[in-house]
């Protein structure tokens, strides 16, 4: 079976539950930012020390859950098997606290100190763009899950700290 369907040739793309949206719609823009973030995180995971790889993979998987919410029109989110909620936010906050015990930020950070750190810095900036897109979707009434916004905000902080750990070669105890 080919991945080429031709269904997007008219400038629209599939959403969940049979719905479609224009490829330049705000929802599809947010989905694109999540795709880019997962790819940058993948580069970071490929380059990261072994102890960090499972955490990055978890974030990538959680971003699939976040994407499914964005790809679902209002009123249909209840049909999703998983949604971002307080558990994911608490996990991200716990990881941030864990990293902050080891990583202290005392000055401006210029990306590029290490290959995994640079990839994770790129992921951070893309997550921040995704968050801006989510805010716009919330303002338009296209998403109704505040936890989704909070979670993506926390992820950008967490991935920033992960980049600093990678740059410094600092292992953060689990």
């Amino acid at each position: 079976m080919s991945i080429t369907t031709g269904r997007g040739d008219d400038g629209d793309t599939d959403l969940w539950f049979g719905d479609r949206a224009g490829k330049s719609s705000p929802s599809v823009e947010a989905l694109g930012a999540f795709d880019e973030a997962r790819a940058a995180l993948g580069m970071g995971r490929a380059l990261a020390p072994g102890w960090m790889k499972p955490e990055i993979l978890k974030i990538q998987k959680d971003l699939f859950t976040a994407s499914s919410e964005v790809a679902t029109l209002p009123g249909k989110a209840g049909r999703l098997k998983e949604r971002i909620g307080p558990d994911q936010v608490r996990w991200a906050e716990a990881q941030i606290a864990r990293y902050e015990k080891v990583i202290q930020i005392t000055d401006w950070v210029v990306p590029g100190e290490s290959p995994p750190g640079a990839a994770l810095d790129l992921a951070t900036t893309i997550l921040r763009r995704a968050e801006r897109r989510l805010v716009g979707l919330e303002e338009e009434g296209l998403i109704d899950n505040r936890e989704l916004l909070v979670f993506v905000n926390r992820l950008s902080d967490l991935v920033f700290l992960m980049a600093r750990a990678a740059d410094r070669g600092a292992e953060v105890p689990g």
Side-chain angles (χ1 to χ4, degrees), residues 4-31:
T4 302
T5 64
R7 289 180 46 79
D9 293 350
D10 62 355
D12 289 345
T13 192
D14 289 323
L15 299 177
W16 284 110
F17 309 114
D19 295 308
R20 293 184 58 78
K23 291 184 178 183
S24 65
S25 75
S27 295
V28 176
E29 285 288 335
L31 291 169

Side-chain angles (χ1 to χ4, degrees), residues 76-98:
K76 295 186 178 182
R79 295 172 64 183
L80 293 168
K81 292 179 182 176
E82 290 182 68
R83 293 187 74 184
I84 297 296
D87 289 344
Q88 287 91 348
V89 173
R90 280 191 293 273
W91 176 84
E93 289 172 343
Q95 299 313 306
I96 290 167
R98 196 176 119 234

Side-chain angles (χ1 to χ4, degrees), residues 79-137:
R79 295 172 64 183
L80 293 168
K81 292 179 182 176
E82 290 182 68
R83 293 187 74 184
I84 297 296
D87 289 344
Q88 287 91 348
V89 173
R90 280 191 293 273
W91 176 84
E93 289 172 343
Q95 299 313 306
I96 290 167
R98 196 176 119 234
Y99 275 82
E100 285 180 332
K101 287 179 183 174
V102 175
I103 304 298
Q104 305 298 314
I105 307 300
T106 59
D107 201 357
W108 291 100
V109 173
V110 178
E113 293 299 313
S114 71
L120 293 170
D121 280 322
L122 178 60
T124 299
T125 65
I126 297 168
L127 285 166
R128 289 178 179 154
R129 178 163 25 98
E131 181 185 7
R132 293 190 303 272
R133 300 293 190 262
L134 288 177
V135 168
L137 292 174

Side-chain angles (χ1 to χ4, degrees), residues 44-96:
R45 184 166 53 92
L47 297 167
W51 64 269
M52 192 183 284
K53 291 177 188 269
E55 295 171 21
I56 297 171
L57 181 60
K58 179 187 179 348
I59 293 168
Q60 289 175 291
K61 289 180 177 181
D62 284 344
L63 287 176
F64 277 115
T65 301
S67 293
S68 69
E69 290 197 54
V70 174
T72 302
L73 292 181
K76 295 186 178 182
R79 295 172 64 183
L80 293 168
K81 292 179 182 176
E82 290 182 68
R83 293 187 74 184
I84 297 296
D87 289 344
Q88 287 91 348
V89 173
R90 280 191 293 273
W91 176 84
E93 289 172 343
Q95 299 313 306
I96 290 167

